[in-house]
Amino acid sequence: MPRHHASANGYTNNKKYDDHYSDRADLESKYIWGMHDLEEDEKDARSFFKPSRAPIHSRSRLAKQFAAAAGIFFVLLYLFLPPQTYSGAGTDSSFEQYDIETLRYYDLSDNVGTSVGWEREERVLLCTPLRDAASHLPMFFAHLRNFTYPHHLIDLAFLVSDSKDDTETLLTELLEGLQNDDNPSQPYGEISVIHKDFGQSVSQDVESRHGFAAQASRRKLMAQARNWLLSAALRPYHSWVYWRDADVETCPFTILEDLMRHDKDVIVPNVWRPLPEWLGGEQPYDLNSWQESETALALADTLDEDAVIVEGYAEYATWRPHLAYLRDPYGNPDVEMELDGVGGVSILAKARVFRAGVHFPAFSFEKHAETEGFGKMAKRMQFSVYGLPHYTVWHLYEPSVDDLKHMEEMEAEKKAREAQEKAAQEQAKKAQAEFKHVDDQWAKDKEGMAGAAAQKKNGEGKGYKVASDPAEPDS
């Protein structure tokens, strides 16, 4: 079949196609422009002129006009509203060419955690689980205000769970006061407050919390709480995670820098607590930081699958070296001790440890759970776990039931002793008031008797007979 090419005058060599195209164009023009029949016009005008080219297709012309207008609009939009690109931490320059506001690019190789994090502006996530902690919050916020690590590089995350007091309300008030402080160095970075209950029924008193029977179930629930808090708050730009209990009483303000300088994957200080003088003045508190022993490994082999070994109880004699018992008050605070289990009062860990999969086991992992299981898991994954035996953090003293009983007995003895002393003083005061002093009369009588004896002696010496006392019989 021969091809039909367009002629110079705008018509094709196919007469049939020309007639069809002409009729269709006339009808479309009539419809678009509201004109009367173009065939009649063509018949009338045929005697006057012959067109050099066919009428332009109306839809094609409109499409071209619309495309031109749209192009002009987008050019003006680009000129007056230049695109904005968001670049996350460690953004590569190649990503800045994209105009996607929801794009976040993070280079995790830049957030590894170093020994000079404050100089490299490494961000720290501070995590604190709270339960019925309203009485401890003012003390906790006093510590927050005194941290020397740049506050704007620290993000705070709190998990409030199973609380019956006003922990959450007070927490909000204290956070607002901290963030609105007039001192520009006080406000912290991003703050997260998370509420999640876990059905924890163990009371918060010392006897219940530290009783042996409650340890396994309590620690498994605490592990769940820590994992929930961490998974909700950890961001790609965090280099460190610092776990801190709210009931720490005394702590160096430079603790973040002090622990960070050791450049360990996981590191903890020694935790003691002050005691009344009648109890010895001080005592190791956190016994969950330890080195493994052969005795403990043999004990673990004899326990059930879900059993959890806890330190400091007669039921589990592990004979492990504890970080707490190795403390020397005058020792070098930078001395390091390799550990297998860690306590949860104060833990500094590199964020990459958690990103690698280490967590707080809410089950029996190698016969341990929560923070001790976390230490064991980190060691199993070849991370470094260390403690500082001579670097001390002081936990708040909370008297046990036995301490309270002894204190009540001491108070009763003190009151009884004070009552006896008061009664003796009152009796002495009463006797002194009722007793008639005769000292002056005795002095006068003594003086008179002495004068009479002297007069008698003088009379006998001169030969006079001194009259005898009428009361005395004559010899």
Side-chain angles (χ1 to χ4, degrees), residues 202-210 401:
V202 178
S203 175
Q204 281 293 83
D205 63 87
V206 177
E207 197 70 14
S208 299
R209 280 167 42 213
H210 296 285
V401 173

Side-chain angles (χ1 to χ4, degrees), residues 407-426:
M407 292 170 68
E408 290 176 358
E409 293 173 358
M410 292 181 62
E411 186 67 19
E413 292 177 0
K414 179 181 177 181
K415 289 181 178 180
R417 184 171 59 253
E418 290 176 350
Q420 290 178 357
E421 292 175 354
K422 184 177 180 181
Q425 291 176 358
E426 290 179 353

